[in-house]
Amino acid sequence: MEAIIDPDDSASSHLPAEWHAIDWHRADQQVRAMQIRIAKATKECDWRRVKALQRSLTRSFSARALAVRRVTENQGKRTAGVDRELWDTPTRKWEAVSALKQQRGYRPAPLRRVFIPKSNGKERPLGIPTMKDRAMQALHLLSLEPVVESQSDPNSYGFRRNRSTADAMSQLFVCLSQKAAAPWVLEADIEGCFDHINHEWLVSHVLADKVIVNKWLKAGVVYKGQLTSTDAGTPQGGIISPTLANLALNGLETGLVAHLVATVGKSKVQKLKVNVVRYADDFVITGMSQDILESVVKPWVETFLAQRGLRLSVAKTRVTHIDEGFDFLGWNFRKYSGTLLIKPSKKNVQAFYSKVKGIVKANAMVKQVDLIQLLNPVLRGWAQYHHPVVAKETFRRLDSLLWWRLTRWARRRHPKKSPRWVTEKYWSRIEGRSEFAARIRSDEGEARWARLYRLADTEIVRHRKVMGGYNPFDPEWEAYGEDLRAKRLLKSMAYRKQWATLFLSQHGACVRCGEAITEETGWHDHHLIAQVKGGSNALSNRVLLHPVCHVQLHALGLTVAKPASD
């Protein structure tokens, strides 16, 4: 059997002495090499080797450093747990890396309960772990993710690398768009998936440190000073929770197909056109007849979920004909005279407009440019989400509603002025059309227009779906993954063409560490000569860096050079 060696042991004398001295390129490479070996062992069903590799990875310096980096760079870095502790300095981050080495006797703290509003007016409970518990979860997730990814269903798209809601939508288009496609759909909704997963089932099936996983599940929740035990579920808010939920639901697609083969025979399965498309705990199943979905598919799904402590929602689960249409992930899928059209759902549109209206109402007295800067990210984000579907008509209608909303906003500010005066003050003629815009000055003193983003300007472009068999930890998929990530990142940079230009000139890599820039890592637009020292905002004076590399650059007083052009 191959010996399992900690990649950091051979060079322990060369380990860095403080946070900013960490070689992130080396850390990424070492962790990825171990993850590839774990994925290979999983594929070969060599579970003894999987456990040995996982143990080595979770004890390595590189993995511990990356775990701390993740929890101190993500959106929750300023949200403390029950201990009110944050790792917001290089010294604390460095101490945290050492603290993660002591896993024997580790005991997680209870979660801090908070509630966030849902689109239906209700509240969703979140459990906020302490920074140490988050980092420990991130550390063990590095070893668990290659296993779960290698065992996942082909058409599972939630909380997986390089997979998104748009991929799930595209797969449904493939399943439903043809004339001979399945006309019936089972819309399934799991009742409180994250809150009811059976702990015993999960711990017995997870390929990770079962003792630590069980401690996380049983840690309890603190709300208004009261400690409540957690006897079931994996709390939303933990870094590892989405992966554990995916683990519980893996096999829904492959298991259903195997059941159908055993029930009706292999030769008839294809004619039934049963397809499962899942995003996290939301899924739909297609079928050729209402009977096959209600009498065969639904009972099997209920049994599958019951083994995991879950059940379907009676109120939200139903079988629908494609001509009536159904909503999934914010879109409406429906056939009109045999043609499948995917549009933003009415519920999603109403929730979006309510949010925009709320922003305008809450900022009745702010400057026009400030209102534009508040609205533009919301408008762009929503338009970007719906740009792969039939959304032009919806975009135009919302632009019109927003125009009237802003007209009322402007007229209320100047009740004694005429409508024409108000229009001329807040709307300007730019490039041949009327724009809600304001003049602002850049840091260099140049005047430019700040314009409200128009939804109808969004180009409708079909999404390039990820291949079902793609595994980010399999070397055979490396070239495909690089191409997929680069194209998707360029797409997301479409609204900032200068970033796209820099990304291409750097071949998609950070100038400092040489590792790939992705949506997960994020990026920072760095000026080679600082603007306060006279540096320009031209592309020749700018490069893209990872946020952690940018901080490291300034902390150590280093410089980088513009990469040579080909």
Side-chain angles (χ1 to χ4, degrees):
M1 181 179 172
E2 174 189 356
I4 308 300
I5 302 173
D6 185 338
D8 294 319
D9 285 347
S10 59
S12 58
S13 59
H14 301 294
L15 291 180
E18 50 100 18
W19 177 256
H20 289 309
I22 296 174
D23 184 343
W24 293 111
H25 173 72
R26 185 168 180 267
D28 280 324
Q29 291 292 319
Q30 289 177 341
V31 169
R32 176 151 180 81
M34 292 291 283
Q35 288 178 319
I36 288 172
R37 293 168 67 189
I38 291 171
K40 182 182 178 183
T42 302
K43 195 174 180 180
E44 296 170 353
C45 298
D46 188 347
W47 308 123
R48 186 176 178 182
R49 186 160 173 257
V50 166
K51 290 180 181 178
L53 287 166
Q54 286 179 321
R55 193 178 303 111
S56 177
L57 178 60
T58 55
R59 282 158 176 73
S60 70
F61 171 83
S62 296
R64 289 184 281 119
L66 287 175
V68 173
R69 171 179 158 181
R70 175 170 180 174
V71 301
T72 55
E73 284 188 1
N74 61 16
Q75 292 182 343
K77 63 183 178 183
R78 295 186 181 89
T79 306
V82 292
D83 61 356
R84 301 294 176 183
E85 182 180 339
L86 293 176
W87 295 343
D88 49 4
T89 66
T91 302
R92 287 184 177 181
K93 294 174 186 178
W94 181 248
E95 291 171 350
V97 175
S98 299
L100 291 184
K101 195 171 185 178
Q102 305 301 322
Q103 297 186 28
R104 186 179 295 276
Y106 163 71
R107 191 176 186 83
L111 305 169
R112 181 167 70 90
R113 172 72 80 209
V114 297
F115 291 89
I116 60 172
K118 295 171 66 175
S119 59
N120 59 6
K122 296 181 180 180
E123 291 185 318
R124 184 191 304 278
L126 288 184
I128 310 299
T130 64
M131 292 296 290
K132 182 176 181 180
D133 293 337
R134 267 178 264 175
M136 192 67 80
Q137 288 186 18
L139 176 62
H140 284 268
L141 181 59
L142 289 172
S143 69
L144 177 62
E145 196 176 10
V147 178
V148 177
E149 190 67 40
S150 301
Q151 297 179 324
S152 292
D153 292 327
N155 293 304
S156 161
Y157 298 99
F159 303 111
R160 294 177 63 189
R161 294 195 185 190
N162 301 313
R163 292 175 184 245
S164 65
T165 54
D167 289 306
M169 177 273 297
S170 299
Q171 178 60 25
L172 271 177
F173 180 83
V174 171
C175 297
L176 298 170
S177 59
Q178 300 298 322
K179 287 186 178 180
W184 293 93
V185 175
L186 172 65
E187 303 174 63
D189 183 87
I190 300 176
E191 195 173 298
C193 177
F194 282 85
D195 298 326
H196 297 109
I197 295 175
N198 183 278
H199 285 179
E200 287 71 26
W201 187 94
L202 194 57
V203 171
S204 65
H205 286 82
V206 69
L207 278 167
D209 190 318
K210 297 180 186 294
V211 174
I212 289 183
V213 171
N214 190 58
K215 286 181 179 180
W216 286 329
L217 296 174
K218 302 292 186 183
V221 174
V222 172
Y223 181 60
K224 293 184 178 180
Q226 297 293 318
L227 175 64
T228 306
S229 62
T230 47
D231 300 319
T234 171
Q236 297 183 63
I239 286 177
I240 204 169
S241 294
T243 302
L244 292 177
N246 267 340
L247 170 67
L249 295 175
N250 277 341
L252 181 65
E253 180 181 359
T254 54
L256 177 57
V257 172
H259 171 69
L260 290 173
V261 169
T263 304
V264 301
K266 191 173 182 180
S267 60
K268 294 182 180 180
V269 168
Q270 205 166 10
K271 296 178 182 178
L272 296 177
K273 297 189 178 178
V274 173
N275 298 284
V276 181
V277 178
R278 179 170 69 86
Y279 186 89
D281 58 335
D282 294 326
F283 63 93
V284 295
I285 304 176
T286 67
M288 278 304 290
S289 70
Q290 184 176 7
D291 181 63
I292 194 71
L293 291 176
E294 290 184 341
S295 62
V296 179
V297 172
K298 187 178 176 183
W300 183 88
V301 171
E302 288 174 335
T303 303
F304 174 88
L305 295 177
Q307 294 171 353
R308 292 149 177 80
L310 304 172
R311 64 182 180 182
L312 293 174
S313 168
V314 177
K316 297 180 182 179
T317 301
R318 62 189 185 126
V319 176
T320 310
H321 196 277
I322 191 62
D323 291 344
E324 296 177 15
F326 65 95
D327 291 348
F328 184 59
L329 302 177
W331 292 297
N332 178 260
F333 297 75
R334 184 179 174 184
K335 273 192 174 179
Y336 299 82
S337 302
T339 301
L340 178 68
L341 295 184
I342 306 173
K343 303 178 181 181
S345 69
K346 289 182 180 179
K347 183 179 178 182
N348 186 271
V349 171
Q350 289 169 355
F352 167 71
Y353 183 63
S354 295
K355 181 177 182 179
V356 170
K357 186 168 65 174
I359 293 173
V360 175
K361 279 188 173 182
N363 294 277
M365 301 308 296
V366 302
K367 292 181 181 179
Q368 183 185 13
V369 65
D370 293 334
L371 181 62
I372 291 171
Q373 290 173 347
L374 285 170
L375 287 172
N376 275 353
V378 177
L379 295 172
R380 281 199 180 101
W382 191 79
Q384 183 70 8
Y385 184 83
H386 292 290
H387 84 276
V389 302
V390 183
K392 274 291 184 184
E393 184 181 336
T394 304
F395 287 164
R396 292 193 188 98
R397 187 172 75 253
L398 285 169
D399 278 336
S400 178
L401 289 172
L402 185 54
W403 184 87
W404 280 109
R405 177 62 54 186
L406 292 172
T407 298
R408 289 192 287 271
W409 173 86
R411 288 179 182 175
R412 285 196 185 104
R413 294 163 68 91
H414 307 281
K416 296 182 180 180
K417 298 293 184 180
S418 69
R420 182 175 179 179
W421 184 93
V422 171
T423 300
E424 290 176 350
K425 177 175 175 60
Y426 291 99
W427 277 264
S428 302
R429 199 77 182 168
I430 305 172
E431 297 176 1
R433 70 179 187 181
S434 179
E435 299 270 9
F436 186 77
R439 298 281 280 185
I440 60 173
R441 291 195 174 274
S442 66
D443 296 336
E444 298 172 340
E446 297 178 359
R448 64 179 182 87
W449 287 107
R451 294 187 275 185
L452 185 74
Y453 180 75
R454 283 196 180 186
L455 297 171
D457 287 345
T458 307
E459 185 180 1
I460 303 298
V461 181
R462 180 169 290 183
H463 180 75
R464 181 194 178 194
K465 190 183 85 70
V466 67
M467 293 179 69
Y470 170 63
N471 184 342
F473 302 103
D474 188 339
E476 293 180 6
W477 289 94
E478 186 68 27
Y480 172 81
E482 287 181 0
D483 179 63
L484 184 72
R485 286 192 299 271
K487 287 182 177 178
R488 290 190 173 180
L489 194 56
L490 281 171
K491 200 176 186 181
S492 69
M493 290 178 172
Y495 298 116
R496 292 295 297 269
K497 293 182 180 178
Q498 291 186 343
W499 282 349
T501 302
L502 291 172
F503 181 81
L504 288 172
S505 69
Q506 297 174 200
H507 303 289
C510 170
V511 171
R512 167 148 173 77
C513 71
E515 287 295 306
I517 292 174
T518 66
E519 289 185 291
E520 288 78 17
T521 64
W523 61 88
H524 183 88
D525 190 346
H526 173 70
H527 289 74
L528 300 174
I529 301 175
Q531 289 181 296
V532 294
K533 296 181 180 179
S536 73
N537 201 41
L539 290 178
S540 58
N541 188 46
R542 291 157 60 192
V543 292
L544 296 182
L545 303 171
H546 289 138
V548 69
C549 292
H550 179 252
V551 172
Q552 195 177 57
L553 199 75
H554 287 286
L556 300 179
L558 304 175
T559 59
V560 291
K562 190 80 175 175
S565 58
D566 292 337

